[in-house]
Amino acid sequence: MRIDLHAHSNASDGTDTPAELVAAAVAAGLDVVALTDHDTVAGYPEAIAAVQALPAGTGLTLLPGAEISCRVEGISMHLLAYLFDPTEPAFAQERELTRTDRFRRARLVVERCQELGAPITWEQVERIAAGGASRPGEEQGSVGRPHIASALVEAGVVATVSDAFTSEWLAEHGRAHVPKHETDPVEAVKLVRAAGGVPVFAHPGAAKRGRTVSDQVIGELAAAGLGGLEVDHIDHDEPTRARLRALAAELGLFTTGSSDYHGSRKTVRLGEFTTAPDAYQALLAQATGARPIVR
Ligand code: AMP
Ligand code: FE
Ligand code: FE
Ligand code: ZN
């Protein structure tokens, strides 16, 4: 079984449409793919329809999910959430708060970039984010720093998206960085569980993005209902993975592996990292908010 539990569509900062992501999952030979856009479920209708349109017996399962922006002790972190009820009001309201605040923040980041001499515009960022940012009549997607990074690439300011994530521009303490609304992760874990979902700490050891959360905080999240730790991730080196695996065993958490695919906005391939079937089964056994879509 090939199980990839973390992928983005253009409902947030991926470049594939939700339907293209489903097609890419089939092409990559995946058995399971999770759609985990940042702070939004806007990609669900298209992704679900794409799975349902596959030939019967294709052998693909879609796990609807999301990646929730959190902050604890001054550190930004991401919480993956799977198989929650997307209509549960308290969690839906928190996602909406974060998603809308991303637009306020993105405009300010664009202004900072302009003041710093980068010839980018809000209209350009809106166009780049448009896949997720403006679908008439449906929940909108979310805008993020990677869209602004793509605008900086288009304008010739930096060569690649990841070159925009430096102290010069968009990194955590960079010249053009503006904070956004982020949920306390203990609160987020409780919101996910109350919506019947399963929370997993995304890339907890991704040090290149800034400081990482202490083992003590991870222990507190486990006590609050965290289900697992994402261990096999491109941003974790081997010693980090070993340390996280030991911590997960100590805390009774399952461990996952996933690509964190962003289409052409990052170099990682869909299915490059995968989750073991027993961890996937542990996740499924804890979920009560939604069913996987199987085709
Ligand atoms: P935002 O959610 O708008 O604050 O932007 C965070 C997103 O930027 C993450 O989900 C990643 O997709 C991307 N990102 C963060 N750090 C880096 C980095 N060092 N290089 C490339 N992309 C990054
Ligand atoms: Fe992202
Ligand atoms: Fe993330
Ligand atoms: Zn992600």
Side-chain angles (χ1 to χ4, degrees), residues 6 8 12-14 38 67 78 146 209 260 262 266:
H6 187 165
H8 296 267
S12 67
D13 57 7
H38 296 286
E67 187 176 15
H78 292 167
R209 303 186 190 198
D260 201 355
H262 280 69
K266 290 192 179 181

Side-chain angles (χ1 to χ4, degrees), residues 11 18 35 37 40-49 62-66 81 83-84 86:
L35 175 66
D37 278 309
T40 184
V41 299
Y44 283 19
E46 184 180 323
I48 291 169
L62 172 71
L63 287 201
L83 296 171
F84 54 86

Side-chain angles (χ1 to χ4, degrees), residues 210-225:
R211 283 192 301 137
T212 58
V213 167
S214 67
D215 288 2
Q216 190 198 320
V217 168
I218 296 177
E220 287 164 16
L221 295 179

Side-chain angles (χ1 to χ4, degrees), residues 179-231:
K180 63 180 180 295
H181 175 76
E182 294 168 313
T183 308
D184 175 85
V186 168
E187 176 68 13
V189 162
K190 290 178 178 168
L191 284 169
V192 173
R193 286 291 187 189
V198 184
V200 172
F201 193 160
H203 44 74
K208 75 164 190 189
R209 303 186 190 198
R211 283 192 301 137
T212 58
V213 167
S214 67
D215 288 2
Q216 190 198 320
V217 168
I218 296 177
E220 287 164 16
L221 295 179
L226 187 70
L229 298 182
E230 187 181 58
V231 170

